[in-house]
Amino acid sequence: MTLPVELQQEIPQRAAMQFCRFCGTGLQRTVVDLGMSPLCETYPSAAELNRGEVFYPLRVYVCEQCFLVQLEEYESAEKIFSDYPYFSSYSDSWLKHAENYCDKLTKQIGLCSRNLVVEVASNDGYLLQYFVERGVPVLGIEPAGNVAKVAVTKGVPTLVRFFGAQVAKELVAEGRSADLLLGNNVLAQVPDLNDFVEGLKILLKPAGILTLEFPHLLQLMDRNEFDTIYHEHFSYFSMLTTVRILEAHGLRVFDVEELPTHGGSLRVYACRSEERTHNVQPRVAELIERERLAGLDSSDGYENFARQVKQTKLELMEFLITTAKRGKRVAGYGAPGKSATLLH
C-alpha cells in the first residue's frame, strides 16, 4: 500500500506511540487529558485486591495533519483482546440492531447461498447467526478464542486470528473473498490502522460492499460523552478522517447512516475505488460539511471539549461530596467498561 505523497513519511517505531497511527505526523496537540486510568474490562480477583493496579495515561491527541483523534498504545491488542470478557449477545437491543442490519443488507444486495458475508471482530456470532438462518454463507474473524467458541456453537464458522493484510491474503488465496464485509465497533480498537484497512481492501471482492460502524467523534464531543474514551479505543473517527483513511487504501465511501447506538454512531458504506456501481449519496458531503462547520478540520476546533470535560468533572465531584456530607450513598449497579473513565 502506498499512501498519498503528502502522507509519505517515515513512521518511527517507538514503544510508546507519539506519531499518528495513520499518517505518521508527530502528535503535538492534546484534545483532553483524562489523567491516569486502569484498563477497562479488567476485573481483579479477590487475591489481587491487596496489590496495586496498573494505571496508564488517558491522554487524547489530535493529529494536526489528518485530524485523527487517538490515544497512545500502552498495551497491545493481543493482551487486551485475546481473552475477552465482553459477549455481544448479552444485549437484546444490540441483537435487534444486528438482525435489522441483516434484513436490510440481504435485501439491498440480494444475498443468497452463492455469496459470502465476512465479519471482522465477529465476537460470539451475534450478527452472523442471522445470515446463517437465511442460508447465506458466513465467516467470522475473531481474536478472542473464548468468545469464538460460542460463535461456533451457533453455526458460525470462526477464524481465531487478529485481522490484517496477511490474514486477508491467506483467505483470498483460499478463494474466500467477501461479497459483504463488515466491522462493527472494531475500527476504534485497532492499533495498526493501516494494516487493518489494507486487509479490508484485499478481502473485499471487486464488486463487494464494506460497512463499518463506530462511535461518531462529532456526537461524542457535542454530547460530552468522554466516558467513551478508554484504552481499548485507540482511535476516534470523524467522517472527514474516515474518508481520508479509506481512500488512502483504495476504498471509496458512497453512503453513510447516522445511528443512535453507543451514544451516536456512523455506519459507513464503501467499495473499491474502481467500482462505479454505487453513486455517492448527498448525505456523505452533508455530514462532512457539518463536521467542517463544527471545526473538526482545524486543530482549534477541539479546544472546547477539554473545558466541557473539566466542568463535568467538577460538577460530579461536587454532587458526590455534597451527597456524602448529607449521609447519603450513591448506589451503582453493574460494571460497564465506560465506568473506568467516568470514575477515575
Side-chain angles (χ1 to χ4, degrees), residues 287-313:
L287 179 54
I288 289 175
E289 181 59 22
R290 278 168 45 203
E291 291 184 342
R292 292 190 190 280
L293 291 174
L296 296 190
D297 62 344
S298 165
S299 299
D300 295 338
Y302 296 86
E303 289 187 351
N304 286 334
F305 184 60
R307 288 192 285 269
Q308 291 175 199
V309 173
K310 184 176 181 180
Q311 183 60 34
T312 302
K313 176 182 178 179

PDB file of all heavy atoms in Angstrom, residues 287-313:
ATOM      1  N   LEU A 287     -22.722  15.491   5.750  1.00  0.00           N
ATOM      2  CA  LEU A 287     -22.153  15.215   7.060  1.00  0.00           C
ATOM      3  C   LEU A 287     -20.747  15.812   7.179  1.00  0.00           C
ATOM      4  O   LEU A 287     -20.383  16.386   8.212  1.00  0.00           O
ATOM      5  CB  LEU A 287     -22.106  13.710   7.301  1.00  0.00           C
ATOM      6  CG  LEU A 287     -21.514  13.253   8.640  1.00  0.00           C
ATOM      7  CD1 LEU A 287     -22.215  13.921   9.813  1.00  0.00           C
ATOM      8  CD2 LEU A 287     -21.598  11.734   8.778  1.00  0.00           C
ATOM      9  N   ILE A 288     -19.964  15.693   6.118  1.00  0.00           N
ATOM     10  CA  ILE A 288     -18.622  16.282   6.133  1.00  0.00           C
ATOM     11  C   ILE A 288     -18.700  17.792   6.325  1.00  0.00           C
ATOM     12  O   ILE A 288     -17.911  18.384   7.078  1.00  0.00           O
ATOM     13  CB  ILE A 288     -17.861  15.920   4.843  1.00  0.00           C
ATOM     14  CG1 ILE A 288     -17.495  14.424   4.861  1.00  0.00           C
ATOM     15  CG2 ILE A 288     -16.615  16.778   4.676  1.00  0.00           C
ATOM     16  CD1 ILE A 288     -16.850  13.927   3.591  1.00  0.00           C
ATOM     17  N   GLU A 289     -19.668  18.435   5.684  1.00  0.00           N
ATOM     18  CA  GLU A 289     -19.826  19.875   5.843  1.00  0.00           C
ATOM     19  C   GLU A 289     -20.208  20.236   7.274  1.00  0.00           C
ATOM     20  O   GLU A 289     -19.712  21.231   7.828  1.00  0.00           O
ATOM     21  CB  GLU A 289     -20.879  20.398   4.861  1.00  0.00           C
ATOM     22  CG  GLU A 289     -21.118  21.893   4.920  1.00  0.00           C
ATOM     23  CD  GLU A 289     -19.862  22.721   4.633  1.00  0.00           C
ATOM     24  OE1 GLU A 289     -18.923  22.193   4.001  1.00  0.00           O
ATOM     25  OE2 GLU A 289     -19.833  23.896   5.054  1.00  0.00           O
ATOM     26  N   ARG A 290     -21.071  19.441   7.894  1.00  0.00           N
ATOM     27  CA  ARG A 290     -21.412  19.675   9.301  1.00  0.00           C
ATOM     28  C   ARG A 290     -20.191  19.567  10.191  1.00  0.00           C
ATOM     29  O   ARG A 290     -20.014  20.350  11.131  1.00  0.00           O
ATOM     30  CB  ARG A 290     -22.483  18.683   9.756  1.00  0.00           C
ATOM     31  CG  ARG A 290     -23.902  19.088   9.367  1.00  0.00           C
ATOM     32  CD  ARG A 290     -24.882  17.975   9.569  1.00  0.00           C
ATOM     33  NE  ARG A 290     -24.717  17.292  10.851  1.00  0.00           N
ATOM     34  CZ  ARG A 290     -25.129  16.053  11.094  1.00  0.00           C
ATOM     35  NH1 ARG A 290     -25.705  15.361  10.127  1.00  0.00           N
ATOM     36  NH2 ARG A 290     -24.960  15.516  12.276  1.00  0.00           N
ATOM     37  N   GLU A 291     -19.324  18.608   9.907  1.00  0.00           N
ATOM     38  CA  GLU A 291     -18.096  18.457  10.692  1.00  0.00           C
ATOM     39  C   GLU A 291     -17.161  19.641  10.473  1.00  0.00           C
ATOM     40  O   GLU A 291     -16.511  20.109  11.426  1.00  0.00           O
ATOM     41  CB  GLU A 291     -17.402  17.144  10.331  1.00  0.00           C
ATOM     42  CG  GLU A 291     -18.167  15.910  10.785  1.00  0.00           C
ATOM     43  CD  GLU A 291     -17.438  14.620  10.509  1.00  0.00           C
ATOM     44  OE1 GLU A 291     -16.510  14.624   9.669  1.00  0.00           O
ATOM     45  OE2 GLU A 291     -17.785  13.593  11.126  1.00  0.00           O
ATOM     46  N   ARG A 292     -17.092  20.127   9.245  1.00  0.00           N
ATOM     47  CA  ARG A 292     -16.254  21.303   8.984  1.00  0.00           C
ATOM     48  C   ARG A 292     -16.781  22.521   9.745  1.00  0.00           C
ATOM     49  O   ARG A 292     -16.005  23.289  10.328  1.00  0.00           O
ATOM     50  CB  ARG A 292     -16.209  21.598   7.483  1.00  0.00           C
ATOM     51  CG  ARG A 292     -15.477  20.545   6.660  1.00  0.00           C
ATOM     52  CD  ARG A 292     -15.267  21.031   5.233  1.00  0.00           C
ATOM     53  NE  ARG A 292     -14.788  19.968   4.363  1.00  0.00           N
ATOM     54  CZ  ARG A 292     -13.524  19.554   4.292  1.00  0.00           C
ATOM     55  NH1 ARG A 292     -12.614  20.125   5.066  1.00  0.00           N
ATOM     56  NH2 ARG A 292     -13.171  18.582   3.466  1.00  0.00           N
ATOM     57  N   LEU A 293     -18.083  22.698   9.737  1.00  0.00           N
ATOM     58  CA  LEU A 293     -18.685  23.822  10.460  1.00  0.00           C
ATOM     59  C   LEU A 293     -18.432  23.711  11.966  1.00  0.00           C
ATOM     60  O   LEU A 293     -18.359  24.727  12.667  1.00  0.00           O
ATOM     61  CB  LEU A 293     -20.184  23.882  10.178  1.00  0.00           C
ATOM     62  CG  LEU A 293     -20.576  24.284   8.749  1.00  0.00           C
ATOM     63  CD1 LEU A 293     -22.085  24.157   8.546  1.00  0.00           C
ATOM     64  CD2 LEU A 293     -20.116  25.715   8.446  1.00  0.00           C
ATOM     65  N   ALA A 294     -18.309  22.468  12.458  1.00  0.00           N
ATOM     66  CA  ALA A 294     -18.022  22.250  13.877  1.00  0.00           C
ATOM     67  C   ALA A 294     -16.537  22.391  14.193  1.00  0.00           C
ATOM     68  O   ALA A 294     -16.136  22.300  15.360  1.00  0.00           O
ATOM     69  CB  ALA A 294     -18.508  20.858  14.301  1.00  0.00           C
ATOM     70  N   GLY A 295     -15.723  22.605  13.159  1.00  0.00           N
ATOM     71  CA  GLY A 295     -14.306  22.828  13.366  1.00  0.00           C
ATOM     72  C   GLY A 295     -13.455  21.582  13.421  1.00  0.00           C
ATOM     73  O   GLY A 295     -12.286  21.646  13.848  1.00  0.00           O
ATOM     74  N   LEU A 296     -13.965  20.445  12.961  1.00  0.00           N
ATOM     75  CA  LEU A 296     -13.194  19.210  13.064  1.00  0.00           C
ATOM     76  C   LEU A 296     -12.075  19.107  12.035  1.00  0.00           C
ATOM     77  O   LEU A 296     -11.283  18.164  12.089  1.00  0.00           O
ATOM     78  CB  LEU A 296     -14.121  17.989  12.950  1.00  0.00           C
ATOM     79  CG  LEU A 296     -15.157  17.820  14.058  1.00  0.00           C
ATOM     80  CD1 LEU A 296     -15.821  16.458  13.956  1.00  0.00           C
ATOM     81  CD2 LEU A 296     -14.555  18.026  15.434  1.00  0.00           C
ATOM     82  N   ASP A 297     -11.994  20.061  11.115  1.00  0.00           N
ATOM     83  CA  ASP A 297     -10.878  20.091  10.165  1.00  0.00           C
ATOM     84  C   ASP A 297      -9.845  21.139  10.563  1.00  0.00           C
ATOM     85  O   ASP A 297      -9.023  21.558   9.761  1.00  0.00           O
ATOM     86  CB  ASP A 297     -11.386  20.359   8.751  1.00  0.00           C
ATOM     87  CG  ASP A 297     -12.083  21.711   8.617  1.00  0.00           C
ATOM     88  OD1 ASP A 297     -12.441  22.311   9.663  1.00  0.00           O
ATOM     89  OD2 ASP A 297     -12.273  22.172   7.471  1.00  0.00           O
ATOM     90  N   SER A 298      -9.887  21.554  11.836  1.00  0.00           N
ATOM     91  CA  SER A 298      -8.950  22.535  12.358  1.00  0.00           C
ATOM     92  C   SER A 298      -8.565  22.153  13.780  1.00  0.00           C
ATOM     93  O   SER A 298      -9.422  21.742  14.563  1.00  0.00           O
ATOM     94  CB  SER A 298      -9.581  23.929  12.350  1.00  0.00           C
ATOM     95  OG  SER A 298      -8.852  24.825  13.151  1.00  0.00           O
ATOM     96  N   SER A 299      -7.311  22.295  14.117  1.00  0.00           N
ATOM     97  CA  SER A 299      -6.867  21.948  15.472  1.00  0.00           C
ATOM     98  C   SER A 299      -7.620  22.754  16.525  1.00  0.00           C
ATOM     99  O   SER A 299      -7.914  22.250  17.617  1.00  0.00           O
ATOM    100  CB  SER A 299      -5.359  22.198  15.610  1.00  0.00           C
ATOM    101  OG  SER A 299      -4.641  21.405  14.707  1.00  0.00           O
ATOM    102  N   ASP A 300      -7.937  23.988  16.202  1.00  0.00           N
ATOM    103  CA  ASP A 300      -8.627  24.840  17.172  1.00  0.00           C
ATOM    104  C   ASP A 300     -10.046  24.354  17.474  1.00  0.00           C
ATOM    105  O   ASP A 300     -10.610  24.681  18.518  1.00  0.00           O
ATOM    106  CB  ASP A 300      -8.693  26.278  16.648  1.00  0.00           C
ATOM    107  CG  ASP A 300      -7.313  26.914  16.532  1.00  0.00           C
ATOM    108  OD1 ASP A 300      -6.394  26.419  17.221  1.00  0.00           O
ATOM    109  OD2 ASP A 300      -7.157  27.869  15.752  1.00  0.00           O
ATOM    110  N   GLY A 301     -10.603  23.567  16.563  1.00  0.00           N
ATOM    111  CA  GLY A 301     -11.971  23.089  16.753  1.00  0.00           C
ATOM    112  C   GLY A 301     -12.126  22.093  17.890  1.00  0.00           C
ATOM    113  O   GLY A 301     -13.253  21.758  18.277  1.00  0.00           O
ATOM    114  N   TYR A 302     -11.005  21.635  18.448  1.00  0.00           N
ATOM    115  CA  TYR A 302     -11.052  20.622  19.503  1.00  0.00           C
ATOM    116  C   TYR A 302     -10.846  21.212  20.904  1.00  0.00           C
ATOM    117  O   TYR A 302     -10.851  20.487  21.888  1.00  0.00           O
ATOM    118  CB  TYR A 302      -9.990  19.554  19.230  1.00  0.00           C
ATOM    119  CG  TYR A 302     -10.246  18.790  17.947  1.00  0.00           C
ATOM    120  CD1 TYR A 302      -9.791  19.277  16.721  1.00  0.00           C
ATOM    121  CD2 TYR A 302     -10.961  17.593  17.943  1.00  0.00           C
ATOM    122  CE1 TYR A 302     -10.034  18.598  15.537  1.00  0.00           C
ATOM    123  CE2 TYR A 302     -11.203  16.907  16.770  1.00  0.00           C
ATOM    124  CZ  TYR A 302     -10.744  17.413  15.567  1.00  0.00           C
ATOM    125  OH  TYR A 302     -11.000  16.741  14.412  1.00  0.00           O
ATOM    126  N   GLU A 303     -10.664  22.530  20.983  1.00  0.00           N
ATOM    127  CA  GLU A 303     -10.289  23.135  22.252  1.00  0.00           C
ATOM    128  C   GLU A 303     -11.400  23.137  23.290  1.00  0.00           C
ATOM    129  O   GLU A 303     -11.138  22.982  24.483  1.00  0.00           O
ATOM    130  CB  GLU A 303      -9.795  24.568  22.014  1.00  0.00           C
ATOM    131  CG  GLU A 303      -8.432  24.622  21.329  1.00  0.00           C
ATOM    132  CD  GLU A 303      -7.884  26.025  21.255  1.00  0.00           C
ATOM    133  OE1 GLU A 303      -8.631  26.975  21.582  1.00  0.00           O
ATOM    134  OE2 GLU A 303      -6.708  26.182  20.878  1.00  0.00           O
ATOM    135  N   ASN A 304     -12.629  23.333  22.880  1.00  0.00           N
ATOM    136  CA  ASN A 304     -13.730  23.448  23.847  1.00  0.00           C
ATOM    137  C   ASN A 304     -14.017  22.154  24.596  1.00  0.00           C
ATOM    138  O   ASN A 304     -14.545  22.173  25.701  1.00  0.00           O
ATOM    139  CB  ASN A 304     -15.011  23.915  23.159  1.00  0.00           C
ATOM    140  CG  ASN A 304     -14.961  25.385  22.804  1.00  0.00           C
ATOM    141  OD1 ASN A 304     -14.251  26.161  23.453  1.00  0.00           O
ATOM    142  ND2 ASN A 304     -15.685  25.769  21.768  1.00  0.00           N
ATOM    143  N   PHE A 305     -13.667  21.039  23.978  1.00  0.00           N
ATOM    144  CA  PHE A 305     -14.022  19.748  24.567  1.00  0.00           C
ATOM    145  C   PHE A 305     -13.389  19.564  25.939  1.00  0.00           C
ATOM    146  O   PHE A 305     -14.033  19.103  26.879  1.00  0.00           O
ATOM    147  CB  PHE A 305     -13.614  18.610  23.626  1.00  0.00           C
ATOM    148  CG  PHE A 305     -14.031  17.243  24.104  1.00  0.00           C
ATOM    149  CD1 PHE A 305     -15.370  16.944  24.304  1.00  0.00           C
ATOM    150  CD2 PHE A 305     -13.085  16.257  24.345  1.00  0.00           C
ATOM    151  CE1 PHE A 305     -15.765  15.678  24.737  1.00  0.00           C
ATOM    152  CE2 PHE A 305     -13.466  14.994  24.773  1.00  0.00           C
ATOM    153  CZ  PHE A 305     -14.811  14.711  24.978  1.00  0.00           C
ATOM    154  N   ALA A 306     -12.124  19.914  26.079  1.00  0.00           N
ATOM    155  CA  ALA A 306     -11.439  19.764  27.368  1.00  0.00           C
ATOM    156  C   ALA A 306     -12.122  20.585  28.451  1.00  0.00           C
ATOM    157  O   ALA A 306     -12.247  20.140  29.601  1.00  0.00           O
ATOM    158  CB  ALA A 306      -9.970  20.166  27.244  1.00  0.00           C
ATOM    159  N   ARG A 307     -12.598  21.779  28.107  1.00  0.00           N
ATOM    160  CA  ARG A 307     -13.294  22.625  29.089  1.00  0.00           C
ATOM    161  C   ARG A 307     -14.617  21.989  29.513  1.00  0.00           C
ATOM    162  O   ARG A 307     -14.997  22.028  30.680  1.00  0.00           O
ATOM    163  CB  ARG A 307     -13.509  24.017  28.507  1.00  0.00           C
ATOM    164  CG  ARG A 307     -12.235  24.841  28.404  1.00  0.00           C
ATOM    165  CD  ARG A 307     -12.535  26.287  28.097  1.00  0.00           C
ATOM    166  NE  ARG A 307     -12.909  26.472  26.703  1.00  0.00           N
ATOM    167  CZ  ARG A 307     -12.036  26.740  25.731  1.00  0.00           C
ATOM    168  NH1 ARG A 307     -10.745  26.845  25.998  1.00  0.00           N
ATOM    169  NH2 ARG A 307     -12.446  26.912  24.489  1.00  0.00           N
ATOM    170  N   GLN A 308     -15.312  21.383  28.538  1.00  0.00           N
ATOM    171  CA  GLN A 308     -16.574  20.699  28.863  1.00  0.00           C
ATOM    172  C   GLN A 308     -16.339  19.558  29.850  1.00  0.00           C
ATOM    173  O   GLN A 308     -17.078  19.386  30.823  1.00  0.00           O
ATOM    174  CB  GLN A 308     -17.204  20.093  27.594  1.00  0.00           C
ATOM    175  CG  GLN A 308     -17.731  21.077  26.590  1.00  0.00           C
ATOM    176  CD  GLN A 308     -18.209  20.391  25.330  1.00  0.00           C
ATOM    177  OE1 GLN A 308     -18.349  21.009  24.294  1.00  0.00           O
ATOM    178  NE2 GLN A 308     -18.455  19.097  25.397  1.00  0.00           N
ATOM    179  N   VAL A 309     -15.299  18.786  29.582  1.00  0.00           N
ATOM    180  CA  VAL A 309     -14.996  17.625  30.427  1.00  0.00           C
ATOM    181  C   VAL A 309     -14.624  18.081  31.836  1.00  0.00           C
ATOM    182  O   VAL A 309     -15.089  17.507  32.830  1.00  0.00           O
ATOM    183  CB  VAL A 309     -13.860  16.781  29.817  1.00  0.00           C
ATOM    184  CG1 VAL A 309     -13.421  15.687  30.774  1.00  0.00           C
ATOM    185  CG2 VAL A 309     -14.315  16.171  28.486  1.00  0.00           C
ATOM    186  N   LYS A 310     -13.805  19.112  31.940  1.00  0.00           N
ATOM    187  CA  LYS A 310     -13.392  19.606  33.257  1.00  0.00           C
ATOM    188  C   LYS A 310     -14.587  20.087  34.060  1.00  0.00           C
ATOM    189  O   LYS A 310     -14.708  19.806  35.265  1.00  0.00           O
ATOM    190  CB  LYS A 310     -12.380  20.736  33.104  1.00  0.00           C
ATOM    191  CG  LYS A 310     -11.834  21.242  34.436  1.00  0.00           C
ATOM    192  CD  LYS A 310     -10.762  22.302  34.228  1.00  0.00           C
ATOM    193  CE  LYS A 310     -10.223  22.778  35.571  1.00  0.00           C
ATOM    194  NZ  LYS A 310      -9.163  23.809  35.391  1.00  0.00           N
ATOM    195  N   GLN A 311     -15.495  20.799  33.407  1.00  0.00           N
ATOM    196  CA  GLN A 311     -16.685  21.297  34.097  1.00  0.00           C
ATOM    197  C   GLN A 311     -17.558  20.147  34.579  1.00  0.00           C
ATOM    198  O   GLN A 311     -18.077  20.164  35.698  1.00  0.00           O
ATOM    199  CB  GLN A 311     -17.490  22.209  33.168  1.00  0.00           C
ATOM    200  CG  GLN A 311     -18.722  22.846  33.800  1.00  0.00           C
ATOM    201  CD  GLN A 311     -18.381  23.719  34.991  1.00  0.00           C
ATOM    202  OE1 GLN A 311     -17.330  24.355  35.026  1.00  0.00           O
ATOM    203  NE2 GLN A 311     -19.265  23.745  35.981  1.00  0.00           N
ATOM    204  N   THR A 312     -17.697  19.123  33.768  1.00  0.00           N
ATOM    205  CA  THR A 312     -18.479  17.943  34.160  1.00  0.00           C
ATOM    206  C   THR A 312     -17.847  17.251  35.357  1.00  0.00           C
ATOM    207  O   THR A 312     -18.545  16.829  36.295  1.00  0.00           O
ATOM    208  CB  THR A 312     -18.585  16.951  32.984  1.00  0.00           C
ATOM    209  OG1 THR A 312     -19.182  17.602  31.874  1.00  0.00           O
ATOM    210  CG2 THR A 312     -19.423  15.742  33.370  1.00  0.00           C
ATOM    211  N   LYS A 313     -16.525  17.136  35.342  1.00  0.00           N
ATOM    212  CA  LYS A 313     -15.819  16.511  36.458  1.00  0.00           C
ATOM    213  C   LYS A 313     -16.066  17.275  37.754  1.00  0.00           C
ATOM    214  O   LYS A 313     -16.354  16.680  38.804  1.00  0.00           O
ATOM    215  CB  LYS A 313     -14.324  16.450  36.164  1.00  0.00           C
ATOM    216  CG  LYS A 313     -13.492  15.905  37.320  1.00  0.00           C
ATOM    217  CD  LYS A 313     -12.007  15.903  36.992  1.00  0.00           C
ATOM    218  CE  LYS A 313     -11.197  15.397  38.184  1.00  0.00           C
ATOM    219  NZ  LYS A 313      -9.746  15.362  37.891  1.00  0.00           N
TER     220      LYS A 313
END
